[in-house]
């Protein structure tokens, strides 16, 4: 596994991390044994970066990580989030609320200091006001967090956050079906030494190439209950693409896939080819899936001409079908 440095934080993180949303149960039921097996498989495969949030399973995801990684050593980095919990979102933000949330996360994660705390898709006007970044600095100075960043829904929100000089990272939706950051964000992130953490690299599994019109999802899976944005931003489910249209687009992308690559490997290698990207955080529902995700780190970069074709396909046939602001 190759490592990259996460912006100004100087954290050395695996270029394939583990997204831990699924450990909270939002991708269907998951047993304690399965959750632990997934985490252990990630460790065995060289993953040292784990991304979670206080609201994933109401703290369950953090608790799984805290128990499984308690003795894993200082090289293991955990990022969590603040801002979507009850009492905080959408207008309950304060220094006290942030600090209390961080302390609860520390308890669940079994850590005195959290490696990276990210604002979690908070309202745009709160980002614009800016006071919340001062609160992050105060909690950082108190030793509760080592670095801070922001997880956002849209590029314009990323551009607001990136103006904070000590912002270490931005977590964004970026994949073959959501390419706007290539044009509007990545150069500025590199200039300001802000690391890019890519979530939903497979567009909620759509880019795995394993779905068909007959695919169904558990009632507790956000790909079922949020497929049209009923619970939260539709951009978090299939990257904002309507499922049947997404299947058609994957067929077109599959026709461009190099021989010997799975669709998932193709999609994730394309992301890792972007110089501004530090790490991708695909989820996994099994140890076998962890191994397949990690294999992308050892694949050769894709040809430049193929990158150009993929961007043109996005402009011509994808961008207009995204059902949310990007």
């Amino acid at each position: 596994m190759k490592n990259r440095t996460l912006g100004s934080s100087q954290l050395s993180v695996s270029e394939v991390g583990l997204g831990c949303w699924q450990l909270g149960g939002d991708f269907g039921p998951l047993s304690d044994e399965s959750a632990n097996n997934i985490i252990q498989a990630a460790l065995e495969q060289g993953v040292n970066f784990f991304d979670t949030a206080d609201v994933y399973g109401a703290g369950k995801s953090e608790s799984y990580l805290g128990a499984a990684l308690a003795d894993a050593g200082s090289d293991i980095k955990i990022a969590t989030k603040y801002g979507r919990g009850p009492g905080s979102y959408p207008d309950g933000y304060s220094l006290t609320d942030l600090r209390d949330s961080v302390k609860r996360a520390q308890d669940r994660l079994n850590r005195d200091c959290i490696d990276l705390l990210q604002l979690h898709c908070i309202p745009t006007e709160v980002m614009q006001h800016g006071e919340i970044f001062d609160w992050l600095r105060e909690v950082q100075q108190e030793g509760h967090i080592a670095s801070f960043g922001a997880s956002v829904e849209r590029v314009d929100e990323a551009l607001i956050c990136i103006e904070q000089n000590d912002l270490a990272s931005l977590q964004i939706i970026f994949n073959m079906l959501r390419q706007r950051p290539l044009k509007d964000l990545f150069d500025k992130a590199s200039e300001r030494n802000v690391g890019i953490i890519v979530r939903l690299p497979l567009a909620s599994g759509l880019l795995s190439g394993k779905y068909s019109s007959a695919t169904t999802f558990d009632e507790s899976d956000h790909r079922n209950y949020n497929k049209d944005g009923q619970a939260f931003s539709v951009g978090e489910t299939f990257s904002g693409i309507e499922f049947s249209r997404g299947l058609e687009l994957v067929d077109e992308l599959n026709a461009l896939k190099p021989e010997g690559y799975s669709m998932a490997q193709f999609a994730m290698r394309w992301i890792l080819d972007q110089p501004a990207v530090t790490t991708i955080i695909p989820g996994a529902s099994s140890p076998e899936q962890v191994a397949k995700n990690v294999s992308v780190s050892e694949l050769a970069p894709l040809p430049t001409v193929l990158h150009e074709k993929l961007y043109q396909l996005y402009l011509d046939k994808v961008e207009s079908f995204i059902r949310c602001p990007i």
Side-chain angles (χ1 to χ4, degrees), residues 18-230:
L18 181 68
C20 298
W21 188 4
Q22 78 283 2
L23 301 186
D26 282 311
F27 287 76
L30 190 72
S31 68
D32 293 353
E33 181 180 12
S34 294
N36 189 63
N37 288 343
I38 290 168
I39 297 168
Q40 293 304 319
L43 289 172
E44 292 167 7
Q45 293 289 332
V47 171
N48 82 334
F49 184 67
F50 296 80
D51 178 87
T52 185
D54 56 350
V55 293
Y56 295 167
K60 183 183 291 187
S61 176
E62 288 180 330
S63 295
Y64 278 137
L65 291 174
L69 302 177
D71 300 317
S74 60
D75 288 342
I76 303 303
K77 309 303 179 185
I78 301 177
T80 192
K81 306 182 188 77
Y82 160 77
R84 298 290 294 194
S88 302
Y89 184 84
D91 56 5
Y93 303 108
S94 69
L95 174 58
T96 298
D97 184 66
L98 190 157
R99 184 188 289 117
D100 288 348
S101 176
V102 168
K103 288 181 177 179
R104 290 191 294 270
Q106 287 173 319
D107 289 342
R108 289 189 292 267
L109 291 168
N110 285 320
R111 295 213 163 193
D112 294 329
C113 180
I114 293 170
D115 298 302
L116 178 69
L117 181 71
Q118 304 159 97
L119 299 178
H120 194 182
C121 300
I122 65 172
T124 306
E125 56 270 22
V126 178
M127 299 178 201
Q128 290 173 322
H129 188 267
E131 189 176 18
I132 198 166
F133 293 101
D134 292 329
W135 300 336
L136 286 167
R137 294 181 183 99
E138 187 157 345
V139 172
Q140 182 184 40
Q141 291 166 1
E142 293 169 353
H144 295 299
I145 63 174
S147 298
F148 63 84
S151 178
V152 298
E153 296 282 0
R154 309 192 309 266
V155 168
D156 66 306
E157 293 173 335
L159 293 172
I160 292 169
C161 295
I162 210 170
E163 293 302 319
Q164 301 293 326
N165 290 329
D166 44 358
L167 188 86
S169 65
L170 283 166
Q171 184 176 139
I172 61 169
I173 300 171
F174 177 65
N175 55 55
M176 288 178 170
L177 303 179
R178 287 288 290 273
Q179 296 190 32
R180 185 181 167 193
L182 281 172
K183 176 184 176 183
D184 296 335
L185 177 64
F186 283 179
D187 285 349
K188 189 160 190 176
S190 296
E191 289 169 6
R192 298 184 70 88
N193 196 22
V194 173
I196 298 293
I197 301 168
V198 173
R199 72 178 184 277
L200 299 177
L202 296 180
S204 306
L206 188 59
L207 289 167
S208 69
K210 296 180 179 179
Y211 296 165
S212 72
S213 58
T215 301
T216 59
F217 302 99
D218 188 89
E219 286 186 6
S220 63
D221 192 319
H222 77 100
R223 292 169 292 188
N224 177 36
Y225 68 77
N226 195 58
K227 61 184 178 181
D228 294 315
Q230 300 96 321

Side-chain angles (χ1 to χ4, degrees), residues 271-289:
I271 297 172
L272 287 180
D273 284 353
Q274 314 302 331
V277 170
T278 304
T279 183
I280 59 175
I281 48 171
S285 59
S286 68
E288 293 75 21
Q289 190 174 2

